[in-house]
Amino acid sequence: MTSLLDELRGLSSVACDTLDAEVASRFGPFVDCTSNQAIAYNELSKLDSDGKLVYQQLIHESIEVAHWMFAKQSDATLEELAVELMMVNLALLIAPHITGRLHIQTNPKLAYSTAKTIKNAERVHSHFTHLSPSLSPSRICIKIPSTHEGLLACRHLEAKGITTLATTLFSLEQAILASASSCRYVAPYVNELKVHFEQGYVDPDRNNSLFLCGVIQEYFRRRGIGRTEVMAASFVTVEEVMQLAGVRNLTISPGLLEVLAGTKVEGWTGATVGMVGRWVGGEGGWDEGRVREVERVVREGDEGGWRMAFMRAEGGRAEGKLVQALNLFVGVQEGLEEVVRRGVKQGL
């Protein structure tokens, strides 16, 4: 009997959206592994049966290395370095269960600084090399929030051979700039980040966001953009996942992976598999005049023109969702830094 997860793997590349190696082992192998500050915080907060931190040793080792690195640079605090190292160490535990890339997100506090985001990304990339010299650099991907500054950072990093993913993406305008910046992936969110933080909240735009994932992939196809791929993210239901079957890449959380693996295709009465792609394929799904104008301002490097286009995208909701996501991620980043401070105080 074929599970929905098996069916999905025949239509899309499936990534695990987790830093839990047990999940990756149980439901893998996966192509990629994606993560962010919230995923890292939830993982590092896990307690064992004795009430002790499951990752106490990993936290301790990350802080030790951060102390050593801190004296050799001036761009990051001890806490920031330790958070980066903890996230990389968690990702490395999953490396045996994937065939593709490990994705680590840059510090969201730096999302509006191109220069600082570049330094942060380069540092995270170097952590992988330091902690796991045998890991091929081709298996490392840096996730960067899709602000104008972040997408310019992606352009610089890609030119240096560092693979990037444009995350917290809510509009075609962001996707156009990301592809022009040579990002390897764009990650449109099916649901705004708030749904994962506020129990019972439902994104009123999720149907439009589902459609956007298909629109971006069709836009890339019609424009002959082969370099940049869609990595749909922020799913809440199995129905959303199955509707986007056929999108090039999907990254899926542990809870949904479990349901997908435990549900048989035979007798599935949920959403039509791959229905979004069929909707988009026939009609394009975008205003060609508006898109050509965005392409023009991107081509000419007109920052103000792009910012205006993005501000108006989705009736202003796209920029609002990006700001909301950054606020939430910054809050979790600060929580991770507090984990480090407690670790230092307790001598972990």
Side-chain angles (χ1 to χ4, degrees):
M1 300 287 278
T2 304
S3 72
L4 288 181
L5 185 55
D6 295 328
E7 178 82 356
L8 195 62
R9 283 184 163 128
L11 298 167
S12 300
S13 293
V14 178
C16 56
D17 198 24
T18 182
L19 286 171
D20 186 336
E22 183 178 339
V23 169
S25 174
R26 180 182 173 192
F27 299 113
F30 292 94
V31 179
D32 288 11
C33 167
T34 61
S35 66
N36 56 46
Q37 279 72 16
I39 290 172
Y41 183 83
N42 290 337
E43 194 64 26
L44 291 166
S45 299
K46 288 181 177 178
L47 304 176
D48 61 21
S49 58
D50 296 323
K52 296 180 180 179
L53 290 170
V54 171
Y55 295 100
Q56 184 170 304
Q57 184 62 29
L58 182 148
I59 295 171
H60 169 73
E61 292 173 356
S62 298
I63 291 173
E64 276 196 333
V65 176
H67 273 294
W68 174 76
M69 289 184 171
F70 181 63
K72 300 176 181 295
Q73 56 82 56
S74 59
D75 295 321
T77 66
L78 174 68
E79 291 85 356
E80 289 169 339
L81 286 170
V83 168
E84 294 164 7
L85 290 161
M86 290 189 299
M87 293 176 71
V88 170
N89 274 317
L90 285 171
L92 288 171
L93 295 176
I94 292 181
H97 308 296
I98 69 166
T99 59
R101 295 182 172 93
L102 299 167
H103 299 241
I104 297 293
Q105 185 164 287
T106 53
N107 187 338
K109 293 180 180 181
L110 310 179
Y112 291 104
S113 171
T114 297
K116 290 181 179 179
T117 294
I118 289 170
K119 287 183 178 180
N120 184 197
E122 291 174 337
R123 193 167 58 246
V124 170
H125 197 272
S126 71
H127 293 335
F128 276 104
T129 303
H130 175 78
L131 296 171
S132 181
S134 62
L135 183 75
S136 170
S138 66
R139 297 190 65 195
I140 304 167
C141 182
I142 309 299
K143 293 177 60 178
I144 296 178
S146 297
T147 59
H148 187 271
E149 294 83 355
L151 294 172
L152 293 188
C154 289
R155 178 177 296 170
H156 177 91
L157 293 163
E158 289 283 356
K160 295 185 68 174
I162 295 176
T163 303
T164 63
L165 176 150
T167 189
T168 56
L169 190 142
F170 300 98
S171 69
L172 185 55
E173 284 76 5
Q174 290 166 292
I176 291 171
L177 181 54
S179 64
S181 298
S182 298
C183 293
R184 188 70 178 85
Y185 307 94
V186 295
Y189 275 29
V190 173
N191 292 275
E192 57 188 297
L193 190 61
K194 184 178 177 180
V195 302
H196 305 291
F197 285 76
E198 187 174 311
Q199 188 173 4
Y201 178 75
V202 176
D203 185 346
D205 289 333
R206 67 176 182 172
N207 287 334
N208 291 333
S209 299
L210 276 167
F211 190 69
L212 176 65
C213 295
V215 165
I216 293 172
Q217 179 156 295
E218 182 66 8
Y219 169 79
F220 289 163
R221 186 187 71 81
R222 294 193 182 191
R223 290 298 198 266
I225 298 170
R227 163 69 184 176
T228 308
E229 300 178 7
V230 174
M231 172 86 76
S234 191
F235 294 100
V236 170
T237 68
V238 168
E239 283 74 14
E240 292 168 353
V241 174
M242 297 313 295
Q243 285 180 77
L244 286 180
V247 166
R248 189 69 176 271
N249 306 275
L250 308 174
T251 183
I252 306 171
S253 63
L256 293 180
L257 287 170
E258 184 167 9
V259 176
L260 288 163
T263 304
K264 302 304 179 185
V265 172
E266 297 77 11
W268 166 251
T269 58
T272 302
V273 176
M275 65 188 299
V276 169
R278 288 194 283 276
W279 286 345
V280 173
E283 58 187 66
W286 60 80
D287 179 331
E288 185 66 23
R290 178 173 65 87
V291 165
R292 288 190 179 279
E293 175 61 15
V294 175
E295 291 172 334
R296 182 191 67 78
V297 299
V298 167
R299 186 170 58 250
E300 295 178 1
D302 180 356
E303 178 181 339
W306 183 87
R307 288 187 184 278
M308 179 60 69
F310 176 50
M311 183 191 72
R312 301 188 66 190
E314 310 299 319
R317 294 187 300 276
E319 186 171 34
K321 290 179 181 180
L322 172 62
V323 171
Q324 174 204 95
L326 290 174
N327 268 291
L328 290 169
F329 277 138
V330 166
V332 184
Q333 170 73 25
E334 291 174 345
L336 285 167
E337 292 174 13
E338 181 58 30
V339 169
V340 175
R341 282 189 284 271
R342 287 198 303 268
V344 171
K345 186 176 181 180
Q346 295 167 7
L348 286 183

